[in-house]
Amino acid sequence: MQRVKKAIIPAAGLGTRFLPATKSMPKEMLPIVDTPTIQFIVEEAVKSGIDEILIITNSNKHSMENYFDLNYELEMRLKEAGKNDLVDLIRQVASLANIHYVRQKEPKGLGHAILCARTFVGNEPFAVLLGDDMVVNQGKPALLQLVEAYNQKTCSILGVQEVLHTEVNKYGIVTPSREVKDGKKLFKVVDMVEKPDIDKAESDYAVLGRYILTPEIFDILSHTEPGKNGEIQLTDAIRDLMVHQPVYACDFVGTRYDVGDKFGYVKATIDYSLRRADMSKKVKDYIKELAKNFN
Ligand code: UTP
């Protein structure tokens, strides 16, 4: 069995839900307090045993590459100012992981973005983490839970969680196989539908930005026709993969935030500041003060 060593982070989307900020700034660089969202995703991959990371970018995303690189001029100025703790902080970011980049020349969809990683991945299973989905977990990182599921089943694994039934039309929803569901954390999937009508959804299990995929997905993606919104949809390719190979869902443990959505971003920011020792008390006191005027 091949170990999952490589991860792809597709980050070439237009981020239209965050305009105007994303007119000149990648949404992955929007900070949760002082840390860009992409750093949380990279850290999750590293903690899950990933050795090499490929970020799919576009021409508007240089700042991400600069962020994970060294910045000698800034280091020199910080050293001169005696701020050695900050020198260490910015150096740590540059040594987090082996990060590679490839450009998606046109935003032709998530499936197309993943196809851009074909040469990097080669013929081995790989992980996908969407920069929009941040998962906070005091125990095992979400991706590590999927990697362990892969080690058990040696097939593609979709990271899922139950969402409110009234919100299934916002997600890719999986159809669990009847024999294997029964409240299990790891179950076989027989179908997947992108944003189904509420009354037509086969379950409330939504795919939430974490995948382990087998390399056979690349051949399928190279033949997948544009689907919804004229984009090459990963969901369409995974449905095709299910015809040839088993695909499982892993109901992972962790609090997930959609940081590509304004309210999800605000929730992640508040929760993270409440967990930070240097901010927690100030933020709590401020919220209590604000709450006095809520009705
Ligand atoms: P989203 O649809 O959530 O991202 O794609 P978006 O297109 O940037 O967002 P909005 O809706 O316009 O605000 C899910 C993931 O797939 C990547 C995105 O960067 C995001 O991480 N993606 C999407 C690509 O890399 N390329 C694409 O062509 C489309």
Side-chain angles (χ1 to χ4, degrees):
M1 188 192 68
Q2 286 176 298
R3 186 168 79 78
V4 181
K5 301 187 296 259
K6 294 178 182 170
I8 305 176
I9 304 180
L14 297 179
T16 49
R17 285 169 293 165
F18 258 102
L19 282 169
T22 45
K23 184 180 169 202
S24 63
M25 181 188 182
K27 68 175 167 185
E28 295 77 13
M29 286 301 292
L30 292 171
I32 307 291
V33 183
D34 53 7
T35 306
T37 56
I38 187 86
Q39 184 172 333
F40 291 99
I41 309 293
V42 166
E43 284 172 346
E44 180 185 331
V46 172
K47 284 187 211 147
S48 304
I50 297 295
D51 303 328
E52 305 284 335
I53 295 173
L54 178 74
I55 304 183
I56 315 287
T57 66
N58 64 29
S59 54
N60 200 16
K61 311 252 175 172
H62 307 286
S63 54
M64 252 189 307
E65 297 176 40
N66 292 339
Y67 183 71
F68 289 111
D69 202 349
L70 293 171
N71 181 336
Y72 291 114
E73 193 183 328
L74 178 60
E75 276 185 31
M76 198 186 70
R77 289 183 192 282
L78 290 171
K79 269 186 203 151
E80 280 168 8
K83 297 183 174 168
N84 290 320
D85 50 337
L86 292 181
V87 174
D88 292 345
L89 184 71
I90 63 165
R91 279 209 151 241
Q92 264 166 30
V93 174
S95 58
L96 270 177
N98 289 328
I99 303 181
H100 312 259
Y101 303 90
V102 68
R103 278 195 187 177
Q104 184 188 20
K105 293 190 182 71
E106 284 177 86
K108 291 194 199 162
L110 176 59
H112 180 259
I114 288 174
L115 192 52
C116 297
R118 187 174 198 165
T119 312
F120 169 82
V121 170
N123 193 27
E124 48 183 287
F126 62 98
V128 177
L129 302 98
L130 299 192
D132 281 359
D133 287 305
M134 202 174 125
V135 185
V136 174
N137 197 317
Q138 302 313 319
K140 270 184 203 166
L143 186 67
L144 180 56
Q145 298 173 49
L146 266 68
V147 168
E148 290 181 352
Y150 173 82
N151 292 343
Q152 208 180 318
K153 299 287 176 191
T154 43
C155 68
S156 296
I157 309 283
L158 313 176
V160 300
Q161 282 190 338
E162 274 184 294
V163 296
L164 290 175
H165 186 64
T166 48
E167 296 194 353
V168 289
N169 55 356
K170 295 186 187 162
Y171 300 94
I173 299 293
V174 300
T175 308
S177 143
R178 300 231 180 280
E179 319 87 75
V180 286
K181 176 60 192 84
D182 291 339
K184 280 193 188 157
K185 284 284 177 196
L186 184 58
F187 53 90
K188 193 173 177 200
V189 168
V190 290
D191 201 0
M192 179 176 172
V193 181
E194 195 57 40
K195 303 187 176 73
D197 292 338
I198 293 173
D199 53 338
K200 298 214 174 87
E202 292 283 341
S203 80
D204 295 340
Y205 285 98
V207 178
L208 298 177
R210 297 291 180 276
Y211 311 76
I212 306 289
L213 297 171
T214 52
E216 287 75 16
I217 197 78
F218 291 119
D219 260 346
I220 297 175
L221 278 170
S222 67
H223 296 110
T224 304
E225 294 293 328
K228 247 184 199 164
N229 308 327
E231 295 185 341
I232 297 176
Q233 297 285 347
L234 179 62
T235 302
D236 292 342
I238 292 175
R239 290 185 79 187
D240 218 347
L241 186 71
M242 278 173 205
V243 176
H244 310 285
Q245 296 182 351
V247 173
Y248 273 70
C250 169
D251 182 3
F252 63 85
V253 179
T255 309
R256 172 257 178 191
Y257 301 93
D258 179 2
V259 288
D261 164 79
K262 288 188 257 284
F263 185 47
Y265 177 80
V266 170
K267 283 199 277 190
T269 305
I270 295 172
D271 286 1
Y272 180 60
S273 63
L274 287 172
R275 284 195 307 278
R276 284 261 302 240
D278 60 337
M279 298 200 68
S280 171
K281 178 154 183 349
K282 279 183 269 186
V283 176
K284 254 186 222 160
D285 290 347
Y286 181 60
I287 293 174
K288 278 188 208 155
E289 194 56 39
L290 282 182
K292 286 183 193 158
N293 300 319
F294 291 165
N295 43 36

